[in-house]
Amino acid sequence: MIDRDEQGRPEPPLGADETATLLGFLDFQRATLAWKCAGLDAAGLGATVAASSMTLGGMLKHLAYVEDHWCSRALHGRDPHPPWDTVDWKSDPDWGWRSAAEDTPEQLRALWEAAVDRSRSGVAEALADGGLERPARRTWPDGRAPSLRWILRHLVEEYARHNGHADILRESVDGLTGE
């Protein structure tokens, strides 16, 4: 049985092995983002704070890209999924953040949820094919490849960093606070 906190987020296991612990913390961070974006309309997902152009909608789209990049493209060497397959990243490196304003809340949530689902499948496939030590299929320019362990830790870090931003953005929209 999975313990859930007052927001319905799955608590990371207290006494599990490394794999279950990493996946537990990643799912907790994913659920935190979902909680911070829940129930918001286009205006709420498009709200900014101070001089930053960052939005919760942009964050959903960015993290959908991050999920697909690391758990499909890097880990398995697969071609990019739509919409990433048609983006000219060199001419518009912030396309995901910027283009989120053109998407509905439903489209943004569906894009992120589909990427998370693909990531879960890709991680399960890699765990069955070498465990946490399994190297990514795509290497860095110097020939090194991060391990699945590294990728999962990176995803936890990426979500945790952006969830800090999400706290501020959500509070500016309707006053919702919480970790």
Side-chain angles (χ1 to χ4, degrees), residues 75-76 120-135 148:
L75 187 58
H76 294 288
R120 286 186 174 125
S121 293
V123 166
E125 183 182 335
L127 284 168
D129 181 35
L132 292 174
E133 290 76 26
R134 183 193 181 278
L148 175 57

Side-chain angles (χ1 to χ4, degrees), residues 66-86:
V66 168
E67 293 270 2
D68 274 337
H69 173 77
W70 285 108
C71 296
S72 181
R73 190 154 168 75
L75 187 58
H76 294 288
R78 296 180 178 137
D79 291 335
H81 292 278
W84 326 120
D85 59 340
T86 60

Side-chain angles (χ1 to χ4, degrees), residues 9-33:
R9 298 174 297 175
E11 293 281 1
L14 294 175
D17 65 15
E18 183 181 12
T19 300
T21 301
L22 280 170
L23 295 175
F25 273 94
L26 181 54
D27 280 341
F28 180 83
Q29 293 296 332
R30 287 170 171 154
T32 299
L33 179 67

Side-chain angles (χ1 to χ4, degrees), residues 134-178:
R134 183 193 181 278
R137 297 287 185 243
R138 290 180 57 93
T139 61
W140 289 336
D142 65 4
R144 294 179 302 148
S147 67
L148 175 57
R149 176 184 288 106
W150 188 96
I151 290 170
L152 291 172
R153 291 181 66 95
H154 177 69
L155 287 172
V156 170
E157 178 274 334
E158 183 85 9
Y159 271 96
R161 184 167 56 94
H162 286 309
N163 281 336
H165 303 130
D167 284 340
I168 294 167
L169 288 164
R170 182 61 190 249
E171 186 174 0
S172 76
V173 171
D174 61 9
L176 179 83
T177 60

